[in-house]
Amino acid sequence: MSKSKPSDFTRIVIVAYRLPFTLKHRNGKLTAVQNTGGLVSAVLSLTQRMKSESENETMEKTVWVGKGEYDNERLNSLPEVKETFELSSVRIPDSVNEKFYGGFCNDLIWPLFHYFPSMAVFGQGYFESYKKANELFYKELRKIIRPGDFVWIHDYQLFLLPAMVREEFPEASVAFFLHIPFPSYEVFRIMPDGYQKAILQGLLGADLIGFHTHDYAQHFLKSVRRCLGYDISLNTVTAEDVYSRADAFPISIDYNKFHDSVLLPETEKYISRIRKQKRDRLLIFSVDRLDYTKGFLNRLSAFELFLERYPGMRGRVIFNMVMVPSRDTIVRYQEMKKEIEATVGRINGKYGTLDWNPIIYQYRSLKFNELVALYSHSDVGLLTPLRDGMNLVAKEYVAAQHKRAGMLILSELAGAAAEMGESVLVNPSDIGQMADAIHEALTMKDDEKHKRLEAMKNRIREYDVFSWADDILRTTVKVKADRESYRIRLINKDIEDRIITSFCKAASPVLFLDYDGTLVPIRELPELAVPETTLVDLTARLASVTELVIISGRNRDFLDRWFSEVNVTLVAEHGAFIRYAGGEWESSLGQDATWKEGIMPVMSRFTNRCKGSFVEEKRASLSWHYRNADEDLSALRAIELKSELEEMILNMPLQIIDGHKVVEVKMAGYNKGTAAMKVTASGRNDFVLAIGDDKTDEELFAALPDSAVTIKVGKGPTNATYNFTKQTSVTRFLERMIEAREKQECS
Ligand code: GDG
């Protein structure tokens, strides 16, 4: 098992579409200005901290791989770069980049993942260019990767990269973080099947796939289940060669930087300008890039309606709307900009007076201190995107509040809403609600504002961008360790050989074999899962070399019908009945089965509410099977059924078993574990082996002594020591056991 701690990493390798510097080439001279985003400082601080954690100072400079035009040598000799990162630029020809970045990323993924499917363009050659660009990134990355690296890939431009890394470097530690929303499966599946699979499989190359919110992570997992059919258990996806975890890691900000910068002299300069301009008026602000996801027109309509509904506010409020230039060479964006500007002009024309313009509109980016000044002196932050992965401006605005407090109005469709429930949350399509929210926020009492802000500030301060980065790194270490221990548990040839050797040496071995999913594959209907003659022969041959127990949830009739001729001990209905080889059925139950009369109607009702599910009645139990029903609906119904049943069986000697696609109610006091204990009670068995696939087999694995060999068929958490990946491995393994023992004539 891996013992790696974060400090065991010797280097961080970031891969993102953009390098962390803005490069300018003027008069033959190249200059670099470090980008001020949270990610850049988080990564630098993480490197610093890991350096101080690894006492021997083995931590190396962080490498940042991104699209760039200049030679690495030239870039890395720039004084501004030398201090911080080692840059590695990926050259992407314009012809590829146009269809990769402009096309697949921004014309397809961006609108689709932000729930604008009608704006998604499925352009010719987009996907091929996307693949090509990911390959170019990989070509650069593979030159760099070394053992001890933590490779951290960012955002929707690089969905295919993690799997490329995993294929060539199976031992690498890889995290991926998505900065935009991951849409619900119904939207994701609008893309052609091939794109869906490539994106999901690409991402599953990472140990950890991080999203801003729990919902995005769940959308991703659901897409994996529906599109690839992989097993998912507690956010962990497992399949042949895949072991990946998806979870929420809401990105944050450098809280102290935004909070403290308000008090800096460089900021004060801008604050006095704002004071002069606003005088005794109230100030509302918004800052976003020019993009259709930001909901500018809805916001303007809401502000207009606010002025109409609350005439007393006219002349007393200014809305400073900052729109940061972005993609404005594209016609669609130019048109959007024109429409926004026309609307601003119309509202100002309608309500403005000689000394008051309701909207101040700026189409430019602000200097950092100017931005902080605006945050600190605005009475309301009106951040109402139609969709946003997170929205960092909301967190920055809250962090910049001091004694003079403002209030945040936040779209419930921004990822930030999941953590900022104390803000005034609005639906950006509900213009009336937004208009009222503006009034509510502007007139909110100071006490109330402080109370709400404190709660949000504490959260952002506690989980700032540094904790966020740290959290991702530590979780990746954990997932990697889990992946390794998981792989160790998969049975390989050596382990099989060792088991068979001890089996051969044993004087009195016993084997417990589950039936469905272990001896035969799971079938759609239980009655279809009948053994073939080869299986009956196999069990007969096994029974001639060892004591054999078939331990099943099936009823007595079924087991009798197929195995009456075999010298085998049968356990029916999960331990309710035992028939020792050559003996009669013995019951572990009382006779009263009237409890079924209460349970049956409930299960029948759920069958009617969930097409494809059915009830199976056995002597000692009732089961609601849902393996043939719609995946999601039945999962929900199963939860409802369990909770209804739990209430019903309170104070009754009954037990609910949450099996594989089955909810079963049975009498309490016995299970496969108690049955196995009865069989092995004499203590004579010097070799015990159990194989099973279901949750009910877990009780068997748990009850057996540590010396027993326990094997789960399938993946996922288990009490068993080993796993087989597929049912067919069981038959092959049993054949080997028989042969080995027959050859040694030790039966
Ligand atoms: C993605 C997702 C997610 C903005 N204007 C100016 C300026 N900014 C700074 C802000 C803030 C950042 O840029 C914008 O933050 P967003 O949250 O809007 O993020 P994006 O970079 O657009 O995009 C988004 C984010 O990634 C993080 O994962 O939240 O949902 O779309 O930090 O302060 N900074 C300066 N002048 C400006 O005019 N100095």
Side-chain angles (χ1 to χ4, degrees), residues 500-536:
I500 289 175
T501 308
S502 1
F503 175 59
C504 274
K505 282 191 193 146
S508 180
V510 60
L511 267 52
F512 291 92
L513 303 178
D514 166 51
Y515 180 72
D516 291 281
T518 302
L519 284 174
V520 294
I522 297 274
R523 301 291 302 268
E524 278 174 12
L525 295 169
E527 54 268 32
L528 299 178
V530 294
E532 304 202 350
T533 32
T534 48
L535 175 66
V536 180

Side-chain angles (χ1 to χ4, degrees), residues 166-229:
R166 178 67 64 223
E167 193 179 343
E168 194 173 344
F169 300 93
E171 302 303 323
S173 297
V174 185
F176 180 94
F177 190 80
L178 183 66
H179 291 262
I180 63 170
F182 195 97
S184 91
Y185 176 62
E186 284 308 317
V187 171
F188 182 71
R189 72 191 296 192
I190 291 172
M191 277 190 297
D193 217 39
Y195 298 8
Q196 293 177 40
K197 289 203 164 87
I199 290 174
L200 299 174
Q201 272 159 345
L203 284 171
L204 289 172
D207 293 290
L208 182 69
I209 306 154
F211 299 89
H212 285 310
T213 71
H214 174 73
D215 282 350
Y216 304 162
Q218 291 309 313
H219 291 160
F220 167 73
L221 288 170
K222 181 167 173 185
S223 301
V224 168
R225 193 167 53 226
R226 293 292 295 265
C227 180
L228 302 176

Side-chain angles (χ1 to χ4, degrees), residues 36-38 110 114 155-156 177-181 212 216 251-253 258 287-289 293-294 322-325 364-372 375 387-394 396 414-416 468:
T36 51
W110 179 269
H114 284 87
D155 230 358
Y156 62 102
F177 190 80
L178 183 66
H179 291 262
I180 63 170
H212 285 310
Y216 304 162
I251 198 170
S252 194
I253 56 164
F258 281 90
V287 172
D288 345 50
R289 269 185 317 103
T293 58
K294 301 297 183 181
V322 180
M323 205 156 80
V324 181
R364 64 180 180 101
S365 59
L366 310 181
K367 295 224 165 55
F368 174 74
N369 298 91
E370 195 179 3
L371 181 72
V372 172
Y375 288 162
R387 282 284 165 180
D388 212 336
M390 173 56 77
N391 195 303
L392 290 177
V393 173
E396 294 165 0
W468 168 79

Side-chain angles (χ1 to χ4, degrees), residues 166 204 239-243 715:
R166 178 67 64 223
L204 289 172
E240 209 75 47
D241 298 328
V242 170
Y243 188 97
K715 295 170 176 171

